[in-house]
Amino acid sequence: MCNRRAVMEKEPEKSVKGRPETKRANPNIDGGWAWMMVLSSFLVHLLVMGSQMALGILNMEWLEEFGQSRGLTAWVSSLSMGITLIVGPFIGLFINTCGCRKTTMIGGFLTSLGWVLSAYATSVHFLFITFGVTAGIGSGMVYLPAVVMVGQYFQKRRALAQGLSTTGTGFGTFLITVLLKYLCAEFGWRNAMIIQGAVTLNLCVCGALMRPLDQVEKNWRDCMEKISDHKEISGPTLLDNEDGKANGVLHEEVKNGTATVDHETSCNKESTINEMVTKDMSKLGILKTVTRMTVAVRSGCRAWYSSYFGTASLFTNKVFVAFVFWALLAYCSFVIPFIHLPEVVKLYGVSEQNNIFPLTSIIAIVHIFGKIILGYLGDLPCVSAWNAFIVSNFTLGVSILILPLMHTYTSLALVCALIGFSSGYFSLMPVVTEDLVGIKQLANAYGIIICANGISALLGPPFAGWIYDITQKYDYSFYVCGLLYMVGIICLLLEPCLKSKNELSEKSNASPEV
């Protein structure tokens, strides 16, 4: 190992002396501007996902204002959260066409617009359009690029970076809940939504921080080339002196009358030529921009179409298909405790202790530490990110199944702590997805995953409520959702069988070429 390192250290020196092209590591990979990506993604999770987890405050205000049923009013927050995730595949098209930076800035403006327009709502159905659809689509345009950019900037510390960035959800749940409570008490819910819309406009700033990685690499290469070429530049002063002498001779000739020029005609000719050139340049500039936009749209649409429906479709990867089935069954089990746990607390008679320190707060706090710890473990060379992902999912499924069996606050708190820690697997989701499909397909693949999560989040809570209406108990809701979660985990456990078949087919295809 020492000899290899010594050889690697000597190779760059030889290349510099021989002046061949050398590839230098980009300092912004796993460092430098990459940590600004983590900060930007952290703020996106804080403002988008944190605000959605705190919508219970506004839900109570909407119930009092419009006097509609709880089920109908709850669809406002369900639509917002569901559409944020469901639009993932279509946001992948925007990313392929416009890039992450422009997509995020447009989404930040739409999210802020949805909050402000919702302040003027006259009915719950008005909120369906302004908050559920408009703010939901805007949040989806912000959320997916935040995850993709962190994956592009990190290679060695991907899981840890994703874990740190996604902790913004937990912090946002606390901060925005306190903020909305204060604003609703002081200014009313309508003014509170206007103020929150102004705060949400900072998502455009987060998008401005998402510098494309190819542009960063190009700037780094140009900088290194200038530094290397600067050493080879020699003799500019001699040329300058010769030019100076030539100019001096020319001036002397002009003074002596050897060269005569009609200044008025030359000025008129130059002005007309300059006007024609500027017009032609403006036309060429417009044509170039239109051509670039057309090419970008076509290439983005082709890449998006081939990812989903072409020969290189993601759905030809059987392991990825199993991963999608897991996502369809998983997210509802994570959302249900946040929605139905307060009612369970009332039924078990531990409301007084829950008011002192809510069980949902325990889930949120431990969730932050779970993301960081699982992200750190996922980056260790001795730990498989896929195995850590499966173990955390299994722990979460078991915790949801045994939660109805706990009838004291202490036991419920312990189970909620397990739910919060094991749900930290969200920091491993982008890493596992990238390992399955590669970095080039990460945007489209992760869009499909969060779309499946969105469908699960949209249908899961009403399904649990429907079970309660039939059985008049929340116990069966947790049992059914826990069993569905276990079915999703079985799909993940099929990974070795599906992967071995894919590897055998690849080897058989590669053998004739050899």
Side-chain angles (χ1 to χ4, degrees):
M1 294 298 292
C2 297
N3 294 330
R4 290 182 181 178
R5 291 181 181 177
V7 172
M8 293 297 292
E9 290 177 356
K10 291 180 180 178
E11 285 180 355
E13 296 179 358
K14 294 179 181 179
S15 61
V16 171
K17 293 178 181 178
R19 305 299 301 168
E21 294 183 357
T22 58
K23 292 184 180 180
R24 301 192 180 209
N26 191 341
N28 292 298
I29 300 296
D30 291 315
W33 196 259
W35 294 110
M36 293 300 295
M37 292 297 101
V38 175
L39 176 62
S40 176
S41 181
F42 174 84
L43 295 176
V44 167
H45 283 84
L46 189 148
L47 293 173
V48 174
M49 306 306 293
S51 62
Q52 290 184 351
M53 293 295 181
L55 287 179
I57 306 298
L58 293 174
N59 191 54
M60 296 172 62
E61 299 290 337
W62 294 333
L63 285 171
E64 294 179 1
E65 178 74 19
F66 303 112
Q68 297 292 335
S69 63
R70 293 180 180 271
L72 183 64
T73 307
W75 271 103
V76 179
S77 55
S78 297
L79 276 175
S80 178
M81 184 179 295
I83 290 177
T84 298
L85 302 175
I86 289 173
V87 296
F90 304 99
I91 303 305
L93 174 62
F94 278 91
I95 293 175
N96 292 332
T97 304
C98 305
C100 290
R101 173 181 282 179
K102 294 179 181 178
T103 302
T104 304
M105 296 180 74
I106 295 172
F109 176 76
L110 283 178
T111 306
S112 177
L113 182 64
W115 278 88
V116 173
L117 291 178
S118 299
Y120 301 95
T122 57
S123 64
V124 175
H125 300 87
F126 189 92
L127 290 172
F128 288 166
I129 304 299
T130 57
F131 194 81
V133 178
T134 305
I137 293 175
S139 299
M141 295 180 71
V142 174
Y143 175 69
L144 182 59
V147 177
V148 172
M149 289 300 292
V150 175
Q152 290 180 355
Y153 269 85
F154 283 89
Q155 295 178 356
K156 297 179 181 178
R157 305 174 181 173
R158 288 178 300 166
L160 179 61
Q162 294 287 1
L164 291 174
S165 62
T166 53
T167 54
T169 303
F171 285 103
T173 303
F174 286 110
L175 296 177
I176 296 178
T177 299
V178 175
L179 178 63
L180 288 178
K181 281 184 179 179
Y182 173 77
L183 293 177
C184 290
E186 294 292 330
F187 306 103
W189 71 270
R190 295 182 184 274
N191 293 325
M193 296 199 74
I194 294 176
I195 297 172
Q196 181 62 26
V199 174
T200 307
L201 200 60
N202 287 290
L203 291 172
C204 296
V205 180
C206 298
L209 293 175
M210 295 181 183
R211 188 184 300 171
L213 185 59
D214 53 356
Q215 180 181 353
V216 174
E217 290 180 348
K218 184 179 179 181
N219 295 336
W220 171 249
R221 290 171 186 169
D222 293 341
C223 181
M224 296 305 299
E225 287 177 1
K226 288 180 181 179
I227 293 173
S228 60
D229 293 340
H230 180 70
K231 299 178 181 178
E232 298 179 352
I233 296 175
S234 61
T237 55
L238 297 174
L239 294 174
D240 292 340
N241 291 331
E242 291 177 358
D243 292 339
K245 292 178 180 179
N247 290 331
V249 173
L250 181 60
H251 286 301
E252 289 179 358
E253 291 178 354
V254 172
K255 289 181 181 179
N256 294 329
T258 56
T260 59
V261 180
D262 189 0
H263 295 286
E264 294 181 357
T265 55
S266 63
C267 291
N268 292 330
K269 288 180 180 180
E270 288 179 358
S271 61
T272 53
I273 291 172
N274 290 331
E275 290 178 357
M276 294 174 64
V277 170
T278 53
K279 289 181 180 179
D280 293 337
M281 291 297 292
S282 62
K283 292 179 181 179
L284 287 174
I286 294 172
L287 288 174
K288 285 183 179 179
T289 54
V290 172
T291 303
R292 288 176 182 175
M293 291 176 63
T294 305
V295 171
V297 171
R298 287 181 178 177
S299 61
C301 292
R302 287 174 182 173
W304 180 81
Y305 181 82
S306 62
S307 298
Y308 295 122
F309 308 106
T311 55
S313 173
L314 293 168
F315 294 102
T316 58
N317 188 340
K318 296 180 180 180
V319 181
F320 179 74
V321 174
F323 196 54
V324 172
F325 276 110
W326 165 85
L328 283 171
L329 301 172
Y331 201 76
C332 65
S333 300
F334 173 71
V335 176
I336 284 173
F338 283 95
I339 297 175
H340 296 296
L341 196 57
E343 295 292 333
V344 173
V345 167
K346 291 181 181 179
L347 293 175
Y348 292 168
V350 291
S351 299
E352 295 181 359
Q353 294 172 320
N354 187 69
N355 291 332
I356 297 173
F357 201 87
L359 294 174
T360 53
S361 298
I362 295 175
I363 296 176
I365 293 173
V366 182
H367 182 66
I368 295 173
F369 293 99
K371 284 183 175 180
I372 298 175
I373 295 173
L374 290 176
Y376 174 77
L377 293 176
D379 285 331
L380 294 177
C382 58
V383 178
S384 171
W386 180 264
N387 292 335
F389 184 77
I390 292 178
V391 171
S392 59
N393 273 275
F394 181 78
T395 305
L396 180 58
V398 173
S399 301
I400 293 172
L401 281 172
I402 66 175
L403 189 142
L405 303 176
M406 307 298 155
H407 297 280
T408 62
Y409 178 82
T410 304
S411 59
L412 286 171
L414 290 174
V415 175
C416 288
L418 283 175
I419 292 175
F421 184 84
S422 57
S423 61
Y425 71 81
F426 285 105
S427 62
L428 298 174
M429 278 181 60
V431 180
V432 173
T433 306
E434 183 179 343
D435 291 338
L436 289 177
V437 300
I439 187 64
K440 293 182 180 179
Q441 297 286 353
L442 178 60
N444 295 325
Y446 200 75
I448 295 173
I449 296 300
I450 64 174
C451 176
N453 284 334
I455 296 173
S456 181
L458 189 65
L459 301 178
F463 177 70
W466 176 70
I467 294 175
Y468 174 80
D469 293 334
I470 295 176
T471 61
Q472 295 300 314
K473 287 184 179 181
Y474 280 107
D475 297 359
Y476 296 102
S477 299
F478 286 94
Y479 293 149
V480 172
C481 292
L483 289 175
L484 290 176
Y485 202 105
M486 289 299 177
V487 173
I489 295 174
I490 292 174
C491 295
L492 296 179
L493 294 176
L494 295 175
E495 181 261 347
C497 300
L498 299 175
K499 190 175 181 180
S500 61
K501 291 181 179 179
N502 291 333
E503 289 178 352
L504 289 174
S505 61
E506 289 177 0
K507 290 181 180 179
S508 62
N509 293 330
S511 58
E513 296 179 0
V514 176

